[in-house]
Amino acid sequence: MNIESEQNTTAKEKEKEFLKINDMVEKLGVTRTQFWRMRKAGEVPPPVIRNPQMWLASQIKEFYERRVKKEDVETL
């Protein structure tokens, strides 16, 4: 297997990586309570799996990047 195909495989695996609530709290740097408030307010994307609740890592990465950009703009 060459390096390019290994990188493509790794990228595809990352796209299908799921995050549980503890992962979400850690990635976003918030408490569980803050996370659920954000979720209730619609600030966090809905889970792709309902029981147990899990989110796609790729969706959360995009969400987090948008959130950081928004905070950067607001601080200017």
Side-chain angles (χ1 to χ4, degrees):
M1 189 179 261
N2 63 29
I3 293 173
E4 186 176 316
S5 63
E6 287 179 22
Q7 289 173 343
N8 288 341
T9 302
T10 304
K12 288 179 183 177
E13 289 172 359
K14 291 251 186 218
E15 287 178 10
K16 295 181 181 180
E17 181 182 351
F18 290 98
L19 302 174
K20 292 185 179 180
I21 181 66
N22 291 336
D23 303 319
M24 294 289 289
V25 167
E26 183 179 328
K27 282 211 181 274
L28 297 174
V30 297
T31 65
R32 289 175 72 92
T33 302
Q34 289 172 318
F35 174 79
W36 289 117
R37 286 180 184 151
M38 291 169 64
R39 175 74 185 95
K40 186 175 181 179
E43 297 174 12
V44 177
V48 293
I49 297 176
R50 300 241 180 246
N51 193 9
Q53 291 192 0
M54 295 197 301
W55 291 260
L56 271 175
S58 58
Q59 286 179 333
I60 299 311
K61 181 181 177 190
E62 291 171 12
F63 162 77
Y64 184 76
E65 289 170 354
R66 285 192 311 268
R67 181 177 175 210
V68 169
K69 285 179 185 176
K70 180 180 176 185
E71 289 177 1
D72 287 346
V73 169
E74 291 175 354
T75 58
L76 294 177

